């Protein structure tokens, strides 16, 4: 049974994903309570309540959980113990078990392998001997990644030859890592999947993602993937949702090879940067879908009648002063989203632009040109 209007949904994390979740939840008639250590986070600017406390403050978590009717998260590095502490009082969606699986690259890849879902070939690395063995087995170039806390290219480095292996591991602090075979891919794509309490699912995508300096730059829907690859990605995303017993929304990122094979790169049990375009492109955005599933409502169809694109706005745009926001008005159909962050830093996500158009190429052109026009 779904929660009635005016129930309160809690969210661990106060960034822009939490902000957009809160806005969508409020549109559905729910109140929102944010739990985040930062006092003036983006999500708190639109939420009804905000608990400012550490993720390891279990007394504060218990009080927070008893003030809400269900909880979700906006980033996957929320401590599993925090999610499980809240789950003593209310449903947490996704649950701590799913969070545990995806928080560690080694566990995540082991899970995918056991589930028979294609992922990049990998080896676990916990010692010099294991590193040398992994390099011999997978060859070079290869990518060495820490098992925890990696995002936007952080916590990883490329090993060009076997001679570079030890220096690369030292660069990453000699923490537990996974070595992944370097994949020559045609494109990077992502699929959103939502699953409700009854096991019904809805998907959207794939989107095609272009990165700059390891940070997502532009996403375009639909991807240029052949139909067989697109279908394989959607089916794999649905299988991931079933295998981790997802209730909520997740994004599954893939490498697509030149032969049309798709391999899972990462699983994010939350809304995703590439899915921001669903706010304009779909009747039900990824954030509304998250709110629906967390509240126990059935999933809704995520369909787009026209192609769409999204371009990130990073703190770099502020290097010459406040961007020229009026310039966006020159591009009909382009929508501006700012996250309310007070300090612009290089590489920091400050907002995004979206466009819906008749073709994917036109939508991408619009967001790229509109972003370029912001620079003073």
């Amino acid at each position: 049974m779904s929660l009635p209007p005016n129930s309160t949904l809690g969210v661990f994390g106060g960034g822009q994903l939490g902000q957009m979740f809160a806005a969508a939840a409020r549109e559905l008639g729910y109140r929102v309570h944010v739990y985040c250590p930062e006092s003036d986070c983006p999500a708190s600017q639109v939420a009804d309540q905000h608990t400012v406390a550490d993720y390891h403050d279990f007394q504060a978590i218990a009080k927070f959980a008893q003030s809400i009717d269900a909880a979700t998260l906006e980033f996957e590095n929320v401590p599993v113990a925090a999610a499980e502490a809240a789950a003593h009082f209310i449903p947490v969606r996704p649950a701590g078990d799913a969070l545990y699986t995806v928080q560690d690259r080694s566990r995540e890849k082991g899970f995918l392998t056991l589930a028979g879902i294609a992922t990049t070939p990998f080896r676990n690395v916990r010692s010099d001997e294991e590193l040398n063995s992994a390099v011999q087995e997978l060859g070079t170039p290869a990518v060495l990644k820490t098992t925890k806390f990696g995002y936007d290219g952080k916590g990883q480095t490329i090993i060009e030859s076997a001679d570079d292996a030890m220096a690369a591991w030292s660069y990453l602090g000699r923490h537990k890592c996974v070595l992944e075979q370097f994949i020559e891919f045609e494109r990077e794509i992502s699929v959103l999947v939502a699953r409700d309490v009854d096991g019904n699912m809805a998907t959207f995508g794939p989107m095609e993602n272009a990165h700059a300096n390891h940070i997502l730059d532009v996403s375009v829907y639909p991807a240029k993937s052949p139909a067989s690859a697109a279908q394989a990605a959607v089916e794999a995303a649905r299988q991931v949702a079933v295998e981790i017993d997802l209730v909520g929304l997740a994004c599954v990122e893939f490498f697509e090879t030149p032969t049309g094979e798709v391999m899972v790169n990462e699983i994010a049990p939350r809304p995703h940067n590439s899915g921001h375009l669903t706010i304009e492109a779909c009747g039900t955005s990824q954030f509304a879908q998250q709110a629906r599933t967390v509240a126990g409502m059935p999933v809704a169809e995520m369909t787009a009648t026209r192609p769409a694109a999204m371009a990130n706005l990073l703190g770099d745009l502020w290097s010459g002063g406040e961007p020229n926001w009026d310039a966006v008005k020159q591009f009909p159909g382009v929508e501006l989203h700012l996250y309310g962050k007070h300090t612009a830093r290089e590489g920091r996500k400050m907002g995004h632009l979206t466009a819906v158009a008749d073709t994917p190429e036109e939508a991408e052109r619009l967001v790229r040109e509109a972003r370029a026009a912001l620079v003073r």
Side-chain angles (χ1 to χ4, degrees):
M1 179 176 293
S2 61
L3 295 173
N6 288 322
S7 298
T8 301
L9 304 182
V11 57
F12 284 105
Q16 64 266 19
L17 299 180
Q19 182 188 67
M20 289 180 273
F21 163 79
R26 286 169 62 89
E27 283 188 14
L28 288 170
Y30 294 106
R31 297 174 61 80
V32 178
H33 188 164
V34 173
Y35 189 105
C36 177
E38 286 78 39
S39 59
D40 188 18
C41 58
S44 70
Q45 297 165 15
V46 296
D48 298 280
Q49 293 174 269
H50 179 200
T51 291
V52 181
D54 188 87
Y55 292 118
H56 295 94
D57 186 340
F58 297 109
Q59 187 172 6
I61 289 171
K63 185 177 180 181
F64 166 71
Q66 291 174 80
S67 74
I68 62 179
D69 300 290
T72 188
L73 49 99
E74 69 117 35
F75 73 113
E76 59 267 40
N77 288 327
V78 172
V80 173
E84 292 183 338
H88 285 293
F89 303 96
I90 40 88
V92 178
R93 298 164 173 160
D97 286 349
L99 199 56
Y100 177 79
T101 298
V102 304
Q103 276 186 353
D104 181 286
R105 280 194 176 101
S106 177
R107 284 197 297 267
E108 182 180 66
K109 288 188 169 294
F111 152 76
L112 290 166
T113 301
L114 287 173
I117 301 169
T119 185
T120 49
F122 74 101
R123 297 291 186 274
N124 292 315
V125 172
R126 292 160 295 187
S127 67
D128 292 0
E129 292 75 18
E130 286 188 344
L131 176 59
N132 287 326
S133 176
V135 170
Q136 285 184 347
E137 291 176 25
L138 296 180
T140 56
V143 185
L144 188 66
K145 300 180 178 180
T146 57
T147 59
K148 295 179 182 290
F149 305 116
Y151 66 97
D152 289 345
K154 296 178 176 65
Q156 62 180 270
T157 186
I158 294 178
I159 297 175
E160 298 287 357
S161 71
D163 293 339
D164 302 330
M166 288 303 164
W169 198 33
S170 295
Y171 169 74
L172 295 177
R174 300 177 68 86
H175 297 293
K176 182 182 176 184
C177 289
V178 294
L179 185 73
E180 296 181 9
Q181 190 175 77
F182 188 83
I183 300 299
E184 292 287 351
F185 57 86
E186 185 72 17
R187 60 184 58 86
E188 293 181 78
I189 60 176
S190 55
V191 173
L192 298 171
V193 56
R195 186 168 180 263
D196 62 28
V197 293
D198 294 321
N200 302 307
M201 287 187 281
T203 60
F204 182 79
M207 287 78 70
E208 185 165 341
N209 303 319
H211 293 76
N213 298 319
H214 302 289
I215 300 173
L216 183 63
D217 187 42
V218 172
S219 292
V220 181
Y221 171 82
K224 297 186 184 72
S225 306
S228 58
Q231 184 60 33
V234 169
E235 289 176 357
R238 291 173 65 91
Q239 187 180 353
V240 165
V242 170
E243 295 288 348
I244 65 172
D245 197 19
L246 174 73
V247 176
L249 179 98
C251 180
V252 185
E253 301 175 68
F254 299 87
F255 293 127
E256 180 191 319
T257 70
T259 59
E261 182 183 5
V262 294
M263 300 178 182
V264 175
N265 180 30
E266 290 184 349
I267 304 166
R270 53 165 173 79
H272 191 263
N273 199 171
S274 65
H276 291 351
L277 55 80
T278 61
I279 296 175
E280 278 74 35
C282 299
T284 301
S285 72
Q286 64 171 344
F287 302 102
Q289 198 75 277
Q290 182 187 24
R292 292 178 66 91
T293 51
V294 171
M297 297 172 67
V299 293
E301 286 298 316
M302 297 181 75
T303 54
T305 57
R306 300 171 71 200
M310 182 283 309
N312 269 329
L313 304 178
L314 303 184
D316 313 52
L317 282 172
W318 277 252
S319 61
E322 190 73 15
N324 179 20
W325 302 121
D326 286 341
V328 176
K329 299 173 185 175
Q330 303 169 22
F331 300 89
V334 173
E335 297 291 335
L336 170 67
H337 296 258
L338 292 175
Y339 305 148
K341 297 179 181 179
H342 301 300
T343 305
R345 296 192 301 270
E346 184 177 348
R348 190 183 196 195
K349 294 170 184 172
M350 301 293 292
H352 69 266
L353 297 170
T354 56
V356 177
D358 291 333
T359 66
E361 294 79 11
E362 175 67 6
E364 181 178 1
R365 182 191 67 79
L366 282 169
V367 292
R368 286 187 180 275
E369 291 187 3
R371 183 173 61 184
L374 296 175
V375 180
R376 292 188 182 273

